[in-house]
Amino acid sequence: MNLVDKTSSELQDLIHKEEVSIAEITKQAFERIEKLDPKVDAFLAMNKEQATKQAEEMDQTPLAERGPLFGLPIGVKDNIVTEGIETTASSRILEGFNPIYNATVVEKLKAAGMITVGKLNMDEFAMGSSNENSYYKNTKNPWNLETVPGGSSGGSAAAVAAGEVPFTLGSDTGGSIRQPAAFCGVVGMKPTYGRVSRFGLIAYASSLDQIGPITRTVKDNALLLEAISGHDERDSTSANIEVPNFAEALTGDIKGLRIGVPKEYFAEGVGEAAKQAVREALAVLEEKGATWEEISLPHSKYALATYYLLASSEASSNLSRFDGIRYGYRTEKAGNLLEFYMNTRSEGFGDEVKRRIMLGTYALSSGYYDAYYKKAQKVRTLIKKDFDDAFEKFDVIIGPTTPTPAFKIGEKVDDPLTMYANDILTIPVNLAGVPAISIPCGFENGLPLGLQIIGKYFDEETIYRVADVFEKATDFHKQTPQIWEGAAQ
Amino acid sequence: MAKMTKEEVIEVAHLARLAITDEEAVHFADQLEAITNAMELLNELDTENVEPTTHVLQMVNVLREDKSVPGLDRELVLKNVKEHEAGQVKVPTILE
C-alpha cells in the first residue's frame, strides 16, 4: 500500500482497521528515504535501528491509548538535541557530538508516540537562506534539484516535500521555517515567541528563535504544534499560557474575518508572480466571507538591518560557548590556550557564521554599542508597534512569504546582502514575536510560491482556520514534485 | 559611510576568538563594510524617545525554591570530551 500521500488521520484510520502497522509505516519511511535522499540530501544522522525497534513495540499499545500522532514518523532539524543521535547544527564544530539529553520538544514527540527517524540538514547554526552553509551537504529542492530548498530549515522542508516523512520540526529566527516551506510547497508555522520551549534548541538568537512544525497539510501542522507547545520550567522565556486544541479551530468558517494587506509587502523587489498569487488567494478568502483592506506597516523596510544587527549580536554571545573543550571539534594545532580557542573556532565555523560573529562582536563593542545594537533595539520597538496597531483593526495580515520562488544553487552564495534580502517579508514577524504560517498558493516556472498569514500574539488558531479554508478551496497542496513518480512503493 | 579596514577586522576577529589570515581579513572587510553600510539605513529614524525592546513578551523573574537536586552523572558529562583523565577535562597549558 502506498502511504506517502496520506494525512495523519488517514494513516490512523488504516492502522485502526489493521490494514497497516506502525512497523510497516516506519519501514516504508526508511525505504523512501533510502531511495530519494541520495538525490535530495535532506537527512544527516539516521535513527533506523532504534526507530524500527520502537515501532514494533508501539504496535502492541492498545488502540484506546493512542493519540492522533501515535506511531507516525518525524524528522528533526539538526539544531534540536536528541539523546543518543548525533547533533551537529550542520557545523564542523559539533561533528560527532552525541547529546546526553533530549530537547523538551523531543520529549514531547516521544510522549505523543512519534518516531524520530533522523536529523535534518540546515544552514550552519541556522544562519542562511539556502542550506548552502551546511558543512556536510547541500540539500536540493525536490521540485527542481538544481535549486535550493531555502533555509535555514531546508532539510526539514525538503524531506516533507519529497514525501520522505509526513512531519518535521524546524526552527525560525528570521524566516527559517516559512521561507523553505514556501520554496518547497509545504506548510510551515512559526509559532508565537514563547509558545514552544527552546530548551535543547542550539541557540542562534535567543530573543527571536522559535521551533515549529512543517507538514503537508494545515491540519497535520495544527496537530503537531499542539503536541510540542506548552510552558517549560527549563526555558524561562516559554510562556505560561494554556495550549489550545488547534485542530478544533479548523471550523471552516471565516465569515467576517478582517484581513490587512500591507502595501510594503508588494513593494519593489517582490516578484510579479508572488504578488499575483497573493491577490488570487485574497479573492478566494473573500469568496468565503472575509474582507480585506490595504494597510501600511511603515517600518518594514528597516526590519532587515534591525534583524542582522540584533541576531548577529546575540549569536556572537551564544556561539562563544563553542571552544572545543567539553564537546565538539578540537584543533590539532595549538601551543597555548588562546591559540587553542582561536584555531578550534576558525577551523570549526564556516564563513557565514564567522561573518555574523564578527558583525555581532563589532555591534556590541564599546564605541559602537549605541550606534548599532541599541539603535536596532529601538527600531525593533517601532516594528513591533506597526503590528500592534494593525492588529487593533484586523484579525490577520496576509502577504507573500518570499519575494521570489527558489533560486539556483550557487547563485547568491558569496553575496551576503543579496542572500539576506530573501527574508525581507518574514523577518518583521520574528522581531515582533507574532505567529505566522506559510502555505502553498501557486507556482512560478514549476516552483512553489508561499502565502504568509500573520496572526496576533498567541492566536495561532485564527491563522490555522484561515489556512485551512484556503487549503480546502484550492489544490496547490495536492500537487507533488516529479521526483515522486517512480519513487512510490 | 563607515570604512572597515583590514586592521579593524583582525581586531574584531581577535575579540571573537577567531584566527583569520590577512587574505581573509581583506575579504571580510569588504563584506562587513557593505553590511554595516546597509545597516546605517536605521539612522534615518529619529529614535530619541523610543524605548529599546529586548524581549517582545512581558518578562518576569522566574524563581525556584533553593533546594539542591542531583547533577548529571560524571561519566555522562565526559561523554563528549575529547581528552580527559581521572574525571577531569584536559586542556593545553595555560601558564608558561
Side-chain angles (χ1 to χ4, degrees):
Chain A
M1 192 187 308
N2 184 18
L3 304 172
V4 68
D5 56 353
K6 304 279 187 290
T7 65
S8 66
S9 43
E10 288 164 348
L11 287 170
Q12 294 300 354
D13 205 37
L14 292 170
I15 294 172
H16 283 241
K17 286 195 232 146
E18 291 187 9
E19 286 177 27
V20 71
S21 63
I22 294 169
E24 177 63 21
I25 292 173
T26 311
K27 184 169 156 265
Q28 280 204 22
F30 282 107
E31 278 170 7
R32 178 128 174 144
I33 292 167
E34 278 151 25
K35 201 174 229 169
L36 289 182
D37 218 53
K39 290 182 198 156
V40 178
D41 279 323
F43 277 92
L44 295 170
M46 299 303 297
N47 187 38
K48 189 171 176 182
E49 203 179 311
Q50 190 60 33
T52 306
K53 194 167 144 250
Q54 198 187 340
E56 279 163 14
E57 286 166 12
M58 292 177 78
D59 272 321
Q60 310 307 316
T61 304
L63 291 178
E65 291 169 25
R66 303 177 182 186
L69 300 174
F70 192 89
L72 304 184
I74 184 162
V76 176
K77 188 177 180 180
D78 207 34
N79 58 351
I80 297 172
V81 299
T82 43
E83 187 179 355
I85 312 173
E86 186 186 14
T87 300
T88 68
S90 285
S91 180
R92 185 186 192 193
I93 211 160
L94 281 174
E95 193 165 23
F97 174 60
N98 206 330
I100 59 175
Y101 62 88
N102 276 326
T104 296
V105 289
V106 176
E107 288 296 328
K108 283 179 177 283
L109 295 180
K110 266 173 74 179
M114 298 196 85
I115 297 177
T116 301
V117 299
K119 302 303 291 288
L120 292 155
N121 195 35
M122 54 186 280
D123 286 293
E124 184 178 2
F125 287 111
M127 299 179 190
S129 313
S130 69
N131 260 44
E132 291 165 293
N133 296 338
S134 168
Y135 172 68
Y136 300 97
K137 49 167 79 166
N138 275 356
T139 299
K140 284 87 180 175
N141 191 319
W143 290 88
N144 178 342
L145 298 173
E146 285 172 12
T147 63
V148 302
S152 67
S153 312
S156 302
V160 172
E164 293 178 317
V165 272
F167 299 90
T168 59
L169 291 184
S171 70
D172 191 317
T173 305
S176 281
I177 287 173
R178 290 159 288 152
Q179 185 255 19
F183 278 12
C184 292
V186 295
V187 179
M189 172 68 112
K190 185 211 85 86
T192 310
Y193 182 84
R195 174 66 90 185
V196 179
S197 166
R198 294 184 294 109
F199 179 77
L201 172 68
I202 297 171
Y204 157 26
S206 309
S207 80
L208 302 161
D209 295 340
Q210 191 61 193
I211 296 171
I214 300 180
T215 56
R216 295 218 351 267
T217 66
V218 172
K219 186 178 175 198
D220 277 355
N221 204 282
L223 289 170
L224 183 52
L225 181 60
E226 187 181 337
I228 62 169
S229 293
H231 179 249
D232 179 8
E233 63 178 23
R234 292 178 296 183
D235 171 6
S236 63
T237 63
S238 78
N240 202 346
I241 182 168
E242 209 180 319
V243 179
N245 181 328
F246 292 117
E248 262 177 21
L250 312 184
T251 59
D253 181 9
I254 56 162
K255 278 186 199 72
L257 181 93
R258 298 160 305 166
I259 304 170
V261 180
K263 63 176 189 219
E264 291 81 6
Y265 287 34
F266 289 77
E268 200 189 332
V270 179
E272 197 42 50
K275 291 180 195 169
Q276 189 53 29
V278 174
R279 286 187 203 111
E280 284 166 20
L282 289 169
V284 170
L285 296 173
E286 222 173 355
E287 199 175 300
K288 300 289 171 192
T291 57
W292 67 271
E293 239 176 85
E294 186 179 277
I295 61 165
S296 175
L297 300 172
H299 297 94
S300 298
K301 74 166 176 171
Y302 302 104
L304 194 69
T306 305
Y307 171 81
Y308 278 97
L309 286 169
L310 295 179
S312 300
S313 296
E314 293 186 29
S316 73
S317 165
N318 273 326
L319 271 61
S320 64
R321 78 192 62 193
F322 298 102
D323 57 8
I325 304 250
R326 288 147 300 156
Y327 47 80
Y329 176 81
R330 237 179 205 214
T331 185
E332 306 272 321
K333 300 174 293 196
N336 58 41
L337 193 63
L338 183 63
E339 270 176 38
F340 176 89
Y341 288 146
M342 295 190 62
N343 292 342
T344 293
R345 288 164 63 79
S346 297
E347 293 159 23
F349 291 136
D351 275 0
E352 181 60 25
V353 174
K354 289 180 192 171
R355 263 194 295 273
R356 294 197 199 185
I357 290 175
M358 287 194 281
L359 177 64
T361 305
Y362 181 71
L364 290 174
S365 62
S366 81
Y368 297 100
Y369 179 86
D370 282 350
Y372 289 114
Y373 183 69
K374 202 163 176 199
K375 180 82 185 181
Q377 283 191 313
K378 288 179 164 194
V379 180
R380 185 175 185 182
T381 305
L382 299 174
I383 291 165
K384 179 182 186 302
K385 191 170 174 299
D386 282 356
F387 283 96
D388 290 343
D389 291 348
F391 281 127
E392 275 181 21
K393 280 200 243 149
F394 298 94
D395 303 305
V396 290
I397 294 171
I398 286 183
T401 309
T402 59
T404 63
F407 47 89
K408 286 238 157 65
I409 293 170
E411 199 177 294
K412 303 181 178 181
V413 73
D414 204 36
D415 183 357
L417 281 173
T418 311
M419 187 68 96
Y420 297 171
N422 263 292
D423 302 326
I424 49 170
L425 306 174
T426 47
I427 276 174
V429 167
N430 300 77
L431 290 169
V434 291
I437 204 169
S438 178
I439 56 172
C441 73
F443 290 89
E444 181 177 7
N445 301 325
L447 290 166
L449 294 165
L451 182 74
Q452 184 172 214
I453 307 170
I454 306 167
K456 297 176 185 173
Y457 291 101
F458 296 105
D459 189 17
E460 289 87 352
E461 287 168 283
T462 301
I463 296 179
Y464 278 134
R465 184 178 308 125
V466 178
D468 176 61
V469 164
F470 182 77
E471 185 180 86
K472 290 207 167 86
T474 56
D475 69 351
F476 301 113
H477 66 289
K478 287 189 182 142
Q479 303 192 34
T480 53
Q482 207 170 7
I483 197 170
W484 280 46
E485 282 158 38
Q489 269 86 34
Chain B
M1 289 293 199
K3 177 94 189 114
M4 184 82 80
T5 64
K6 185 183 93 180
E7 288 68 31
E8 272 179 302
V9 171
I10 290 172
E11 196 195 320
V12 169
H14 185 80
L15 286 172
R17 297 292 182 264
L18 293 168
I20 57 170
T21 62
D22 273 15
E23 202 180 300
E24 284 171 324
V26 172
H27 185 61
F28 280 129
D30 286 346
Q31 291 182 331
L32 289 171
E33 182 176 312
I35 295 168
T36 47
N37 281 338
M39 309 286 142
E40 278 171 23
L41 178 70
L42 301 187
N43 294 333
E44 280 180 23
L45 292 168
D46 177 7
T47 51
E48 182 75 35
N49 299 311
V50 180
E51 285 295 312
T53 296
T54 312
H55 261 281
V56 287
L57 303 176
Q58 282 290 335
M59 287 290 152
V60 286
N61 232 345
V62 181
L63 301 173
R64 62 167 171 77
E65 215 184 321
D66 188 15
K67 218 171 74 184
S68 68
V69 288
L72 292 166
D73 178 69
R74 175 75 62 97
E75 209 172 302
L76 202 59
V77 170
L78 290 171
K79 190 173 163 191
N80 284 287
V81 179
K82 289 259 157 53
E83 280 184 79
H84 56 89
E85 200 178 296
Q88 316 272 325
V89 179
K90 277 180 93 169
V91 295
T93 315
I94 52 166
L95 288 173
E96 307 284 326

